[in-house]
Every structure is written in C-alpha cells, then in structure tokens.
Amino acid sequence: MNKIYASPDTALDGLLKDGMFISAGGFGLCGIPELLIDAIV
C-alpha cells in the first residue's frame, strides 16, 4: 500500500462521507495539516 499521495484531494478521494468525525493531530503550528484541512473543508 502506497501512503504517499500527489495531493490532499487524491488522498481523500472516496473516503469522505457525511456525518464523519475526523481527527488530525499536530504539534503547534508546525505540525498541523493545513492542506488536508483545506481539502476537507
């Protein structure tokens, strides 16, 4: 399984459903997944 994707949209393709809870960890401002959050929104 390849866990490296070209873009956040590619990584999320087919995974998101209405009513889901999503948890994304990070460490301060240097560890938050900004592009992933933007893609989810």
Side-chain angles (χ1 to χ4, degrees):
M1 174 192 294
N2 186 1
K3 294 184 179 184
I4 299 173
Y5 298 93
S7 71
D9 292 328
T10 305
L12 295 171
D13 188 36
L15 295 178
L16 300 178
K17 296 180 174 111
D18 287 341
M20 286 181 77
F21 287 96
I22 298 172
S23 177
F27 182 76
L29 293 176
C30 64
I32 57 172
E34 296 176 59
L35 296 176
L36 181 61
I37 293 169
D38 287 342
I40 291 170
V41 171

